[in-house]
Amino acid sequence: MPRLRIQVQGVVQGVGFRPFVYRLAHELGLGGWVQNRPEGLRIEVQGSGPGSEEFLHRLQAEAPSAAAIHSVTCEPLPEAADELGFQILPSENQGDRRPSIPADLALCPECRQEILDPGARRYRYPFTNCTACGPRYSIISALPYDRPRTAMAAFPLCPDCRAEFENPLDRRHHAQPVACPRCGPRLGYCGPAGGPGPEAEAALVAALNLLKGGGILAVKGLGGYQLLVDASSQAAVQRLRDRKGRAEKPFAVMFPDVECLETSCVVAPTDLTVLEGPAAPILLLPRREGSPVAAAVAPDNPDLGAFLPYTPLHRLLLGDFGGPLVYTSGNRSEEPMAIGNAEALARLGDIADGFLHHDRPVLRPLDDSVGRMEEGVLHLLRRARGFAPLPLPMTGPSVLALGGHMKSTVTLLVGGQAVVSQHLGDLDSPQGLALLERTVTDLLAFLEVTPQRLACDLHPDYGSTRVAEALARRLGLPLVRVQHHHAHVAAVMAEHGLQGPVLGLAWDGSGWGPDGTVWGGEALEVDDTGFRRVGHLCPFPLPGGEQAVREPRRSALGLCLAILGEPSPAAAAFSREELAVLCRSVERGINSPLCSSVGRLFDAVASLAGIRSGAGFEGQAAMALEFQARRGRGAGAYPFPLKEGQADPAPLLGALLDDLRRGEELSAMAFRFHAALANLALAFAEAAGHPQVVLSGGCFQNALLSKLCQERLALAGFRVFRPARFPANDGALSLGQAWAASRIPLEQ
Ligand code: ZN
Ligand code: ZN
Ligand code: FE
């Protein structure tokens, strides 16, 4: 057997791949070495007998669960004469490629077993981890990723842990956060007033008793504080809603194990792979009839955001509790999560009844990721823990993109990769803006780069735009303002490596249009040079502007005034005084911007169909319409003609009002509306004539709409590209901005 040189590419660094290779080579009696290199992992092996072949096979079959192998190439080499066993060579990091920042990894099966084993050294130790699992991004202060540059720097290893850390045959070899009850972080518990309290196992017991009594527990998790409460108690969940100021927005639920999860949700095998995988996100799953989960957890919602314990601490807490727990970020609505112990007491003291904390610092807030499986493919709705900040290959000059205003993220394009930050939340609060600025500083320091250009949205009032402007002045850098829907389409082109031209359908709530109107129902032709607006929804006025986001009835009124010239079908939702004021403001064009937004059209239709006149959170009316439509499949479609690039909603409105007069089923009307939009997507695609069609924007978080559009377009021969690893919503704007800004030639 000759010597082999093996090149492995993909997510293979910071996931325990080198120790795995070492152990495998050792077991098979092979000589050679393994090395981290800028382009991936390089291995050379040689040995007598069939060992090398088995090595090659098992390298792929038994790779660490957090690794994602994109390619393995192999070439024969002449045999080396004096091979001294197998070694892990020091990393080689040179050239333009930057090291990647590893993402946090969920508790692995081996560590899970270990904490439940009464004979093990780490029995019930809540900070157990190994090279295949544990905190990464949430504890790293600088690169390269080594213990002294993590939140574990303050915990010197005990001799037992050091022996494991240094032994290449141990699964904790070079596991930077390795710890045990003797040398690692410790749990503590206190009431809302703070002060000393029970520690370690006693702290867990105190927390458990609080939960069992229906109390609200703040837990310092992997990426910050979370609030937990008994999910089967309607009263406890309602108390959490009242104290948190969160009226109706669904909560996620953590289940102790798969068996318990299956009593509440319908779980497919592909769902399980993701739920139990290294990222362990929240998945939206269909809820079962008779689930023990209280109605207040996700009111009027047929789905449940569900997940499994992803740290040893959660595994112990949930296992002891023995049932599902509501699990939500430790914040007031729309503010970033608390991460420090003192900060948590100050900010959550009047929400939580008790605090389960520990002494390992959390260096940056990381929310839980949220996704949905569609045809076996994970579509992320929120990209954070477990996924951020893993890079996406992308070429171009270095760009720092500041993203949008809601669901904000930051992207740094450098050295052939785009690093997209975790979900940072909304930028309305000073804390939100501070987090955005800190994340920028963080990423620039991690990757040791000064970008060549900055990018932001066209909207002058986005918090991110103001931060970008200040940064551009300070660093003396050019600032590229990327139109909102252009960025939505570009993000999907970046994800799928598309060159263009493509037809991009960017449908969302709102984005700043260069013509001064609110865009959101756009058909854009996008390529390297920029975008061209080839079509859009006929504009209608939004009485009260931004206020319409939380009041779908305003969109209904604007649509009726624009099409029918009178408020009547939408009027019933208003008092006579309100109506008079709003009609006058539309007539005079005061605070009633024109919008071409599909999101607002969803609101208008939902409101007219009587689904709701108010919305507790953005998109609630549209979601309610989607849930109705799921039950109305096959009901046909409303007419939605396209005339010279403009989609005319007048025939649709007419048919909807006819249905309402006839007392048609809500589900049928909701489906006809969805199907009308899918037909419209096809009409846009046929008019544009590009074989590649991109679907993006917040409206495509709607799984039914996405599916109908995709089917319609694919049947007609178009290739359809949808966001999956990055969200369809504004969470991907920074990625799209980076892609677009890197391709624009700059006049010097
Ligand atoms: Zn592990
Ligand atoms: Zn130890
Ligand atoms: Fe958007």
Side-chain angles (χ1 to χ4, degrees):
M1 195 69 195
R3 189 178 177 86
L4 291 181
R5 171 179 291 170
I6 304 164
Q7 189 73 40
V8 189
Q9 282 180 316
V11 181
V12 290
Q13 299 178 1
V15 293
F17 214 105
R18 282 174 305 165
F20 156 70
V21 168
Y22 181 93
R23 288 194 299 275
L24 188 59
H26 206 262
E27 186 186 324
L28 297 172
L30 301 174
W33 48 263
V34 55
Q35 185 183 37
N36 261 345
R37 296 169 75 97
E39 68 277 10
L41 211 63
R42 181 173 291 184
I43 306 165
E44 288 191 17
V45 284
Q46 73 178 33
S48 51
S52 314
E53 241 165 79
E54 189 178 344
F55 178 85
L56 202 52
H57 170 71
R58 289 176 61 185
L59 181 73
Q60 294 165 78
E62 297 170 16
S65 56
I69 299 178
H70 299 161
S71 72
V72 177
T73 52
C74 187
E75 56 179 305
L77 294 177
E79 215 158 316
D82 48 353
E83 190 77 73
L84 292 167
F86 194 89
Q87 309 172 58
I88 298 180
L89 297 184
S91 302
E92 193 171 284
N93 257 329
Q94 45 173 233
D96 197 29
R97 284 296 294 258
R98 297 298 200 286
S100 58
I101 311 162
D104 299 83
L105 299 169
L107 178 65
C108 76
E110 276 143 314
C111 288
R112 187 172 58 215
Q113 221 154 48
E114 196 174 343
I115 61 166
L116 301 178
D117 172 6
R121 197 159 76 80
R122 291 185 178 82
Y123 177 56
R124 292 187 63 82
Y125 181 59
F127 304 95
T128 302
N129 65 79
C130 71
T131 50
C133 77
R136 300 286 188 272
Y137 182 45
S138 59
I139 59 162
I140 298 177
S141 56
L143 291 177
Y145 169 49
D146 283 314
R147 191 173 179 102
R149 284 175 291 271
T150 71
M152 291 301 290
F155 300 91
L157 291 169
C158 71
D160 288 345
C161 285
R162 174 156 301 282
E164 292 168 329
F165 185 88
E166 285 172 354
N167 176 5
L169 287 177
D170 195 281
R171 70 187 169 86
R172 295 202 163 90
H173 179 54
H174 287 179
Q176 305 301 338
V178 70
C180 77
R182 258 175 74 198
C183 67
R186 253 174 111 76
L187 278 184
Y189 179 88
C190 67
E199 289 193 2
E201 192 61 34
L204 262 178
V205 172
L208 191 66
N209 288 339
L210 181 77
L211 287 170
K212 286 198 164 153
I216 299 171
L217 178 70
V219 177
K220 188 181 190 180
L222 192 71
Y225 273 86
Q226 312 282 349
L227 295 165
L228 274 63
V229 76
D230 182 354
S232 64
S233 162
Q234 181 81 3
V237 176
Q238 196 52 54
R239 200 173 318 120
L240 176 60
R241 285 201 178 281
D242 294 344
R243 289 198 198 160
K244 214 184 157 190
R246 175 156 154 161
E248 294 178 74
K249 205 171 174 183
F251 285 131
V253 176
M254 185 181 270
F255 292 84
D257 50 42
V258 176
E259 293 69 45
C260 185
L261 169 65
E262 283 181 328
T263 61
S264 284
C265 297
V266 182
V267 191
T270 46
D271 299 338
L272 263 192
T273 313
V274 173
L275 287 166
E276 295 187 301
I282 296 168
L283 282 189
L284 300 183
L285 298 172
R287 196 158 160 177
R288 275 191 205 280
E289 289 285 326
S291 149
V293 173
V297 169
D300 303 319
N301 196 320
D303 296 339
L304 200 59
F307 61 154
L308 295 168
Y310 55 82
T311 73
L313 175 58
H314 293 115
R315 179 65 189 78
L316 294 172
L317 198 58
L318 269 284
D320 292 351
F321 186 74
L325 288 171
V326 160
Y327 193 102
T328 181
S329 312
N331 58 3
R332 287 179 195 290
S333 280
E334 319 307 335
E335 284 179 6
M337 223 181 339
I339 57 175
N341 293 1
E343 182 197 4
L345 280 170
R347 284 176 56 198
L348 306 175
D350 51 359
I351 300 181
D353 302 307
F355 289 78
L356 185 60
H357 56 80
H358 57 75
D359 52 358
R360 185 181 75 201
V362 173
L363 298 189
R364 58 188 59 79
L366 265 180
D367 278 290
D368 294 304
S369 296
V370 182
R372 171 169 37 215
M373 299 297 286
E374 292 173 42
E375 254 113 79
V377 177
L378 174 64
H379 290 261
L380 284 179
L381 303 169
R382 182 166 80 193
R383 182 179 178 273
R385 175 187 51 79
F387 297 100
L390 293 177
L392 178 76
M394 197 202 291
T395 54
S398 64
V399 180
L400 174 70
L402 277 292
H405 188 75
M406 313 289 277
K407 305 179 168 71
S408 78
T409 57
V410 177
T411 293
L412 181 57
L413 166 58
V414 62
Q417 58 186 22
V419 176
V420 183
S421 79
Q422 74 274 30
H423 162 93
L424 302 172
D426 300 349
L427 302 182
D428 284 323
S429 66
Q431 291 97 328
L433 276 173
L435 177 58
L436 177 78
E437 289 178 339
R438 244 196 58 203
T439 307
V440 166
T441 314
D442 246 18
L443 286 184
L444 293 179
F446 271 140
L447 301 170
E448 293 175 338
V449 63
T450 305
Q452 291 165 266
R453 48 184 84 172
L454 300 174
C456 67
D457 196 272
L458 266 187
H459 203 304
D461 296 329
Y462 277 4
S464 50
T465 302
R466 293 197 300 270
V467 170
E469 285 166 347
L471 212 54
R473 274 195 302 273
R474 206 176 75 215
L475 302 174
L477 291 173
L479 175 61
V480 182
R481 294 170 202 267
V482 182
Q483 199 279 326
H484 190 97
H485 303 93
H486 179 199
H488 269 310
V489 177
V492 180
M493 296 177 76
E495 180 180 344
H496 294 280
L498 303 178
Q499 293 298 321
V502 303
L503 175 72
L505 297 177
W507 294 354
D508 67 357
S510 65
W512 187 277
D515 60 357
T517 69
V518 176
W519 288 15
E522 309 311 308
L524 308 179
E525 193 180 83
V526 181
D527 62 19
D528 267 8
T529 62
F531 79 96
R532 215 161 55 84
R533 192 190 199 197
V534 295
H536 57 90
L537 183 63
C538 276
F540 59 92
L542 272 186
E546 276 299 298
Q547 260 177 292
V549 173
R550 290 189 181 272
E551 287 183 49
R553 60 184 185 156
R554 287 175 187 255
S555 296
L557 179 63
L559 188 70
C560 289
L561 287 172
I563 293 174
L564 309 171
E566 54 164 37
S568 68
F574 298 91
S575 73
R576 197 182 313 169
E577 293 75 32
E578 285 173 328
L579 196 63
V581 171
L582 291 176
C583 288
R584 211 174 316 124
S585 68
V586 169
E587 215 171 280
R588 298 183 184 169
I590 301 163
N591 193 22
S592 300
L594 286 175
C595 83
S596 56
S597 156
V598 171
R600 297 292 89 82
L601 184 65
F602 258 95
D603 286 351
V605 169
S607 175
L608 288 169
I611 284 184
R612 19 177 99 239
S613 50
F617 55 93
E618 194 190 4
Q620 188 178 13
M623 274 169 63
L625 207 56
E626 177 190 0
F627 298 149
Q628 284 293 337
R630 284 190 201 169
R631 301 187 292 114
R633 280 171 211 245
Y638 289 134
F640 207 160
L642 185 61
K643 291 174 198 153
E644 284 155 18
Q646 299 222 15
D648 180 8
L652 181 149
L653 181 64
L656 171 70
L657 295 176
D658 283 346
D659 271 357
L660 278 165
R661 273 189 289 271
R662 289 192 297 113
E664 178 59 281
E665 292 282 339
L666 189 51
S667 57
M669 294 188 287
F671 184 85
R672 283 172 196 149
F673 174 61
H674 279 74
L677 285 167
N679 288 342
L680 177 64
L682 179 60
F684 274 131
E686 283 177 335
H690 296 297
Q692 298 183 325
V693 179
V694 162
L695 305 179
S696 189
C699 291
F700 289 105
Q701 295 173 99
N702 179 325
L704 178 64
L705 179 68
S706 296
K707 185 175 154 69
L708 292 174
C709 288
Q710 172 145 26
E711 281 173 0
R712 232 42 207 101
L713 289 161
L715 203 63
F718 292 96
R719 285 192 67 199
V720 183
F721 296 90
R722 289 182 51 201
R725 285 174 288 159
F726 296 88
N729 59 44
D730 287 6
L733 284 178
S734 67
L735 173 63
Q737 288 168 0
W739 187 92
S742 72
R743 277 152 178 79
I744 293 170
L746 283 188
E747 62 281 7
Q748 290 299 329

